[in-house]
Amino acid sequence: MFDVNKVRNDFPMIRNNKDLIYFDSGATSFKPDRVIKAIMDYYTLYNSNIHRGDYDISISVSKTYDDTRKTIARFINADDPRCIVFSSGSTASLNLVAYNFGRNFLKECDVILTSQVEHASNILPWFKAREEAKANIEYIPLNPDATFDLKKYEECFKDKNIKVVVLPYVSNVMGYIYPIKEITRIAHEHGALVSIDGAQGVPHVKIDVKDLDVDFLSFSSHKMLGPAGAGVLYGKYELLEKMEPMMYGGDSNARFYNDGTIILKNVPEKFESGTPCIEGVLGMNEAAKYLMELGMENVEEYGRYLTRYFIDRLKNLDNVEIYNPESEAGIVAFNLKGIFAQDAASYFNKCGVALRSGNHCAKLLQNVINVTETLRATFNVYNTTEEIDRFVDIIKDTTIEKCVDSIL
Ligand code: PMP
């Protein structure tokens, strides 16, 4: 296990905000010095475009950019760095997959099998794909606490033409790690492909795409200690080859002719038109290396430890309702009895605690758990049990009057 005080010292946001308790890493994480340095170095030492300059600084930045595919491949245990497509983030990656299903991979009456825990970014693109292909969407029946039942899932395949299974690795509200390896095995047995939203899973859980055998995995740099503006679509090479880009322009084409013919470059370049977020990719490179140095097994274990610690402390309070007592990956959804989530969040803000309230972009989840708004505390490697203790003391003394006063 890593030394959390040493880790905290790597993060300027922690060093510069001694009194802040930041429990909103699920929205975006803090960044360590080395990520910020990579961005600063780019802008101060070798600011240039990639793949376009025949001079040293451009050649150097192009090499680091391209080498980031190898880092990310190692990070998720992909064999082939060409399977790593850079995007602007999870939303862009998830859209690219759904767009291709809508246009190329689905036929009329085919079924997209998904769930009601999805973040908007992993369901709205599939609504569009359904529309485009005249396909159908079906929802896997989850347990009332949104945990996954493999038996009910397998039953969904009976007499249905399911072509793709769309799920998150970790729900951004409930924090469960879904059994993706089993889910994928069952999908493949029935001839369906699997697209996983890794936005909340990849930063917290050791991922091995070879072992999981998923067909697509999308994630964002900014939730895994890297900068915003960059992200990844991992896809199996033979599938990426069959896909078309959503955008056309510079750097993704080998040739084009005045009759309109476009000869695209190979995977992954064909998906990366225009100047990308170069500094984002360089920062993501350092973030992935930092996480690998901490050890993703340790990151996962520490996340589980903080989650358990917080839930166990909350369980002793009469004024709290917890919605995901079995959460594993640094996400706890709860409410203070009789207090509107946003009022409580505003009061906690006054007490120096930053956390999120609302539906967390998972607007169908209320159909499963029967709650529309929750407070959501999310942890990362720089959070501590001392912060949790301080927060629990605040929660103990929270009343509706204090919350209402804080918003007046
Ligand atoms: N999926 C999940 C589960 C998320 O939590 C998020 C971000 N809140 C996204 C997708 C979208 O990620 P991004 O905004 O980085 O594109």
Side-chain angles (χ1 to χ4, degrees), residues 136-153:
N136 296 319
I137 287 191
E138 299 214 359
Y139 298 101
I140 302 160
L142 298 170
N143 296 324
D145 61 354
T147 50
F148 203 86
D149 183 331
L150 278 166
K151 232 171 124 209
K152 286 190 207 154
Y153 161 69

Side-chain angles (χ1 to χ4, degrees), residues 16-67:
N16 297 333
N17 294 282
K18 293 265 185 273
D19 294 328
L20 173 68
I21 298 179
Y22 185 71
F23 285 163
D24 200 18
S25 292
T28 198
S29 66
F30 289 167
K31 329 297 174 200
D33 289 312
R34 68 192 272 183
V35 166
I36 298 164
K37 181 175 182 304
I39 299 165
M40 285 282 285
D41 284 353
Y42 169 63
Y43 281 124
T44 53
L45 299 174
Y46 47 94
N47 187 150
S48 52
N49 213 325
I50 52 159
H51 307 151
R52 290 154 173 85
D54 300 310
Y55 47 87
D56 285 350
I57 54 172
S58 174
I59 292 166
S60 156
V61 73
S62 302
K63 182 169 176 349
T64 316
Y65 183 93
D66 292 331
D67 281 351

Side-chain angles (χ1 to χ4, degrees), residues 57 115 133 150 199 232 252 271 294 340 368 398:
I57 54 172
S115 83
L150 278 166
V232 172
S252 59
F271 297 110
L294 289 183
F340 183 54
V368 184
T398 302

Side-chain angles (χ1 to χ4, degrees), residues 89-91 94 119 121 172 197 199-200 220 222-223:
S90 303
T91 302
L94 296 164
H119 184 281
S121 294
N172 68 310
D197 172 358
Q200 299 289 347
S220 301
H222 73 98
K223 293 187 198 283

Side-chain angles (χ1 to χ4, degrees), residues 251-283:
D251 210 28
S252 59
N253 69 86
R255 287 215 180 314
F256 54 92
Y257 300 97
N258 52 10
D259 68 353
T261 308
I262 307 169
I263 314 289
L264 289 171
K265 286 187 181 168
N266 292 327
V267 170
E269 285 87 3
K270 74 172 183 179
F271 297 110
E272 297 176 13
S273 282
T275 300
C277 181
I278 300 168
E279 69 276 36
V281 169
L282 304 187

